[in-house]
Amino acid sequence: MAALRSFTFQPLLRSRTPFLRVQQRRRAQVHDVRFLATHHDPNVVLEKYRAKLDQKAKQEGHESVESLKEAYQEKIKDFRRKASTVITPEVPRSTSIPSSTAGHPPPPPTPSPKAQPAAKTSDKPSTPIKPLSAYIDVEKVLDLPPKEIEAIWRLRHANNPNSICAVIPVEIYQRIVSAARQNPQFILPLPRSPTEDLQQQAEEAANTGADIHFLQWAFHPPASTATSGPLASSHTSTIIFTQLAAFKMHGAYAQPHTTITHHLDLADEKGLVLMLGQVMPNSGVSTTEATWLASCVQRFYDFGGQASGRKGDLLRMFTEGDAEGFKVEELMEEAEKL
């Protein structure tokens, strides 16, 4: 039976199973080594080394071990004090270190406002509109004739499916801008495609056969230009187009679908204003439709040209709020006239 017990438990003792390891960890204890080393019975230590202490006492001329201990009493006390004291770096009493920053270097001192250098201020006005130099080399273009400048401008944006561009003679642009400053807002009709869903047309609020779009002019500080004439440094103008239904719902927060910018960098020396339009993708308006709206701007704002008749009257009535004289049907008829 004893042999059976030995055979049964010997494999368990040889294999360090997790169960035994758990038992060992539970019974493990942590002891202070300094405490165990310095708190034995002093008489046991004295009897163990008495022969050597007697020899040491005779060599130094002492009668007994007790007189040797009295002679070394100060040294023994000093040794015990050093052995029982943990050495820590001294901190001045006047300095208090918060617990949250212990172990981390203090942050560098913040310089006073007088010591900080003043930020460089740029002479150029801040504007979100890209300057003409972001698209073409203005200085090189100034040496070219107007026909080549127009060709370069159109080729520069030919591969962008969401852009529309044009070159406007400065005389026409001056007449348009003069009317735009007096009439900065207007609406323009966009005829619907004949293939559009008839049910969708029936659900439209306005049964006019066209979508109405709202336009707003804005005049910005000039960007850096290569010319020094008065017209080139006067302003940069933009037109934003928004669907009228979206503008009625969201007001100033409505998302525009097309933005047109007029660059006047070459207006004085070359007599040209370069126009660039950006159509937002997936905005419900195609590039062709945005081109139609841009062409309608000249038809209604060129008072000395195409807008000298009824088109100009409709623009003025809209600005004045003449609800009786302004008719959307008449606006559509004038927009379709070339």
Side-chain angles (χ1 to χ4, degrees), residues 188-193 209-213 284-286 288-290 292-293:
L188 289 174
L190 181 62
R192 299 193 188 101
S193 172
D211 294 326
I212 306 301
H213 295 260
V285 176
S286 65
T288 303
E289 293 171 335
W292 163 268
L293 293 174

Side-chain angles (χ1 to χ4, degrees), residues 19-35:
F19 176 79
L20 292 178
R21 286 199 295 269
V22 172
Q23 294 289 342
Q24 293 173 359
R25 282 198 296 267
R26 288 182 178 178
R27 295 175 180 176
Q29 295 180 359
V30 179
H31 298 278
D32 189 349
V33 178
R34 279 188 313 175
F35 183 86

